[in-house]
Amino acid sequence: MREQTYILGPCAAESREQVMETAAQISDLKLEIGDWKLIFRAGVWKPRTSPSTFQGAGEQALEWLAEVKATYGIPVATEVATPEHVEAALKAGIDYLWIGARTSANPLAVQGIADRLRVTGYGLRGLFIKNPVNKDAQLWLGNIARLEKAVDGEGVKVYAVHRGCGHEPCWSMAHQVRLARPDIPMLLDPSHMSGDAAKVPELMTKVAELGLDGAMIEVHIHPETALSDAKQQITPDELGNLEILGALGNLDNIELNWLRAEIDEIDAHLWDTIAARMDVSKRIGEWKKAHGVAPLQPERYQAIVERLRGTDYGLPDEFMLRMWDLIHEESLKQQQ
Ligand code: PEP
Ligand code: MN
């Protein structure tokens, strides 16, 4: 089994006390066993959607992270989004840096960060690049290459972190990157992927199923009062109860599991799409009723059949027509 890396800690560093107490409780769990690497995380500069929410504690919080490292001997990580962040974090002795999903969507921003990494003399140990929010496997691969080039020969390891797009897993994107770069460790971020603390345990089973190399999990001492991502953070106790921590083994059928993850996500989209279609269909039904129009309009039905026949979806006509009949039949029912 390859080395497993776990990055644990709050979404954001909120105060010195919150950071130190979270680190104390995580450290008390004594999670580090065997060939594991444990890293403490906390965001210092937070890329928030609205400017009127908590934006992170800023540079002062780098000292809190340095204190975690000095007190508990756990290496520390934070997010960087600008060259200035890189400089401040490295000067403060931060061991690992990660680039977030929003920054990862912008190649100029990633290159700016990469350029500032060409500084020796600091103890930078590794870089984590999250997938871009916009579901672009090639851009993610390009970002990996930018970072590798920047730290070439410096002994700094580059990792991919799969956090999904919005709150969708986007397994297909991650699978493409995994196939293109099997040599790069890939971690799962179940916290941002789901946006829901209750879904973290189930998502964590994917680490073993897909042969991933660990996870980044948001852990907060009081998630309900967290200043950012309150719904998705788990407590140190819940972290200790995650069965997957320590239960990892080499599973067979990893490639099949990736393909199944992809197909399960496609199926979920398929049903969402059909449900959305029925919803519009009902509204059409209401319109027809209000205007005295019968639910079944044969020429409209025929036009859709012709359009299906004339469009190349790479599927047999017979299958598409059978499928269409089923959908149409249910639509008519919804319109009654
Ligand atoms: C984070 O890790 O706190 C974060 C902001 O993540 P992402 O870039 O994946 O949204
Ligand atoms: Mn977060």
Side-chain angles (χ1 to χ4, degrees), residues 10-12 41 46 79 98 130 163 189 191-192 218 228-229 232-233:
C11 177
R41 67 153 276 159
K46 297 303 300 173
E79 173 169 351
W98 84 79
K130 294 210 186 189
R163 56 85 75 221
D189 173 347
S191 309
H192 292 92
E218 287 192 340
S228 59
D229 285 348
Q232 72 195 31
Q233 304 200 58

Side-chain angles (χ1 to χ4, degrees), residues 24 27 30 60 69 75 77 171 180 251 257 261 265 275 299 321 334:
S27 170
K30 310 240 175 300
Q60 55 170 340
K69 183 174 157 177
W171 294 118
L251 285 191
N257 292 341
E265 187 174 0
E299 61 302 348
L321 294 173
Q334 304 271 342

Side-chain angles (χ1 to χ4, degrees), residues 130-310:
K130 294 210 186 189
N131 65 272
V133 264
N134 56 333
K135 205 196 268 197
D136 187 338
Q138 293 311 314
L139 183 54
W140 196 4
L141 286 165
N143 286 342
I144 291 168
R146 283 176 204 279
L147 296 181
E148 284 179 323
K149 202 167 161 207
V151 294
D152 187 31
E154 310 248 359
V156 175
K157 206 160 166 175
V158 176
Y159 302 72
V161 178
H162 180 41
R163 56 85 75 221
C165 322
H167 293 322
E168 284 177 33
C170 294
W171 294 118
S172 155
M173 169 183 59
H175 193 190
Q176 282 176 60
V177 169
R178 193 60 160 167
L179 290 173
R181 292 299 307 269
D183 55 317
I184 291 277
M186 183 182 280
L187 274 52
L188 185 73
D189 173 347
S191 309
H192 292 92
M193 181 175 282
S194 65
D196 181 353
K199 293 189 178 144
V200 168
E202 201 198 323
L203 266 179
M204 282 302 291
T205 61
K206 291 282 182 220
V207 174
E209 263 177 54
L210 304 179
L212 298 176
D213 304 290
M216 175 188 270
I217 309 172
E218 287 192 340
V219 185
H220 196 288
I221 39 172
H222 303 296
E224 64 288 354
T225 63
L227 298 180
S228 59
D229 285 348
K231 290 199 184 107
Q232 72 195 31
Q233 304 200 58
I234 62 172
T235 62
D237 272 356
E238 289 166 335
L239 172 68
N241 288 334
L242 278 184
E243 240 174 66
I244 196 68
L245 295 170
L248 291 170
N250 263 330
L251 285 191
D252 296 331
N253 307 328
I254 283 174
E255 178 59 15
L256 177 63
N257 292 341
W258 271 105
L259 292 168
R260 284 185 170 159
E262 280 194 51
I263 215 164
D264 285 348
E265 187 174 0
I266 291 171
D267 283 350
H269 282 300
L270 206 59
W271 291 114
D272 278 345
T273 303
I274 292 173
R277 189 189 191 283
M278 292 303 164
D279 214 50
V280 176
S281 188
K282 268 186 218 153
R283 288 160 60 199
I284 291 178
E286 282 156 22
W287 188 95
K288 285 176 176 167
K289 203 167 176 183
H291 293 79
V293 177
L296 178 62
Q297 296 292 308
E299 61 302 348
R300 166 76 176 154
Y301 174 87
Q302 206 46 44
I304 293 178
V305 167
E306 291 313 318
R307 192 172 63 207
L308 265 186
R309 284 212 172 94

